Amino acid sequence: MADTDDATSGARFQPSVPAHAAVFPLKGCGSLDWGMQSRLARIFRPATSRTVMLAIDHGYFQGPTSGLERVDLSIVPLLRYADALMTTRGMVRSTVPPASGAPIVLRASGGPSILRELSDEQIAVSMEDAARINASAVAVQVFIGGEFETQSVHNMTRLVDESQRYGIPVLAVTAVGKELTRDARYLRLATRICAELGAQVVKTYYCAEDFDTVTAACPVPVVMAGGKKLPELDALTMAYRAIEEGAAGVDMGRNIFQSHDPAAMIRAVGAVVHESAKPQAAYNMFLRPPAEGTEPAAPEARNTEASRGHGR
């Protein structure tokens, strides 16, 4: 039998030290369940509470996009530089290496192709399957002002209800159609609706004027969408401004995988997001990437110590 003579020694209990329960320091996390916080801590780097998502889910409505013809060749080598990968379950199961360690933000809505009305989406993935894939979050398109606005909002709220059961956060993506203006007034409306109805993270576009009012009015983290392909310096400048104005990260696709040097570009974006590098300095990094063998550690390696307390 174990010796229990000194099991109640007061010194070991440190009664003078208050108990401390650490909450993941991300906007809106305070009231979330432990599982939600743990998954968000996989997506948002604990050291900075920011993220560089690599978006490659374009094929779910527009087929093999330029730069994504062979995901195994163009994207898999970039995973070590991404904090999270936004993709589809088909691509996860067919192409993404399980040992890559990349947290998955799983596209959960879909239906129409670019040949039809895009706002007519339905829920395309069950939360049970997202859990089976070990997704860190699910993503759903919300078309505020679109023809099927109410249906897309209902798609999101159904996933939010299920997210509480499974502990998997919902990322609401504010879709902007050709007829809608990407100004602060619209973005405030769209992001606030998504947050008010339960999304734990919102992804939206950057606007040159008053973007800080968009992030300030949204009670959950706002992640900036990369949008169309821009010259590298312009894309880095947009990312820098978004972060400076309150964004909790970026979700870039075409501005990374359509660059002539995607690996250098995602490293430069990471410097902007996590190190607050100025656009020109980050662009210089892009032009002169580090020599082979001198690259910074991958996100999962950098996060090892911090993430142990968050269930990674």
Side-chain angles (χ1 to χ4, degrees):
M1 179 177 291
D3 184 2
T4 59
D5 289 347
D6 62 350
T8 58
S9 173
R12 296 187 179 185
F13 292 98
Q14 300 188 60
S16 63
V17 179
H20 175 65
V23 175
F24 185 54
L26 185 68
K27 190 176 184 180
C29 258
S31 62
L32 298 181
D33 184 71
W34 189 93
M36 287 264 192
Q37 294 190 47
S38 175
R39 287 184 169 89
L40 288 170
R42 302 175 197 171
I43 297 170
F44 293 87
R45 193 179 296 184
T48 62
S49 295
R50 295 176 182 170
T51 186
V52 175
M53 294 188 200
L54 178 56
I56 64 163
D57 57 331
H58 306 64
Y60 93 95
F61 70 98
Q62 64 184 33
T65 306
S66 177
L68 297 178
E69 298 89 346
R70 286 287 302 273
V71 168
D72 58 328
L73 301 179
S74 62
I75 299 301
V76 170
L78 304 180
L79 296 183
R80 67 188 303 258
Y81 306 113
D83 295 304
L85 180 69
M86 187 168 176
T87 187
T88 60
R89 61 179 171 182
M91 197 58 72
V92 168
R93 289 190 166 111
S94 66
T95 308
V96 177
S100 70
I104 299 297
V105 178
L106 191 67
R107 167 62 63 178
S109 62
S113 73
I114 53 173
L115 304 178
R116 311 293 291 183
E117 169 54 48
L118 289 177
S119 68
D120 191 17
E121 283 197 347
Q122 304 285 341
I123 293 177
V125 176
S126 70
M127 198 64 81
E128 180 182 352
D129 202 32
R132 189 178 294 114
I133 284 175
N134 194 29
S136 296
V138 295
V140 56
Q141 208 85 353
V142 181
F143 295 84
I144 300 300
E147 182 178 347
F148 293 90
E149 174 188 84
T150 300
Q151 177 176 296
S152 70
V153 170
H154 183 54
N155 292 340
M156 185 196 74
T157 56
R158 281 181 57 194
L159 285 174
V160 167
D161 286 343
E162 292 186 23
S163 77
Q164 301 302 320
R165 185 178 305 117
Y166 288 90
I168 300 177
V170 172
L171 168 71
V173 182
T174 61
V176 178
K178 295 179 180 179
E179 71 283 358
L180 298 174
T181 303
R182 299 184 187 186
D183 59 13
R185 183 179 181 183
Y186 171 79
L187 298 178
R188 286 195 301 266
L189 171 69
T191 56
R192 185 62 174 259
I193 287 173
C194 292
E196 293 261 0
L197 292 176
Q200 287 81 24
V201 183
V202 180
K203 171 182 169 180
T204 198
Y205 290 95
Y206 179 74
C207 59
E209 295 184 10
D210 299 326
F211 184 72
D212 58 341
T213 68
V214 178
T215 59
C218 188
V220 301
V222 170
V223 173
M224 186 206 78
K228 66 181 182 179
K229 176 68 175 72
L230 300 171
E232 281 76 7
L233 180 56
D234 292 346
L236 293 168
T237 300
M238 179 175 67
Y240 177 80
R241 289 175 177 169
I243 295 297
E244 287 292 298
E245 295 169 27
V250 301
D251 187 18
M252 283 190 167
R254 286 169 288 182
N255 279 299
I256 291 174
F257 62 72
Q258 290 182 352
S259 170
H260 73 267
D261 190 342
M265 185 59 180
I266 194 171
R267 290 198 297 267
V269 172
V272 167
V273 171
H274 294 299
E275 302 168 26
S276 298
K278 297 293 178 61
Q280 187 62 54
Y283 184 59
N284 292 339
M285 291 176 56
F286 166 75
L287 294 176
R288 294 184 293 275
E292 192 72 25
T294 64
E295 300 170 359
E300 57 268 26
R302 289 196 295 267
N303 284 344
T304 299
E305 292 301 320
S307 64
R308 282 176 182 166
H310 297 288
R312 284 193 63 182

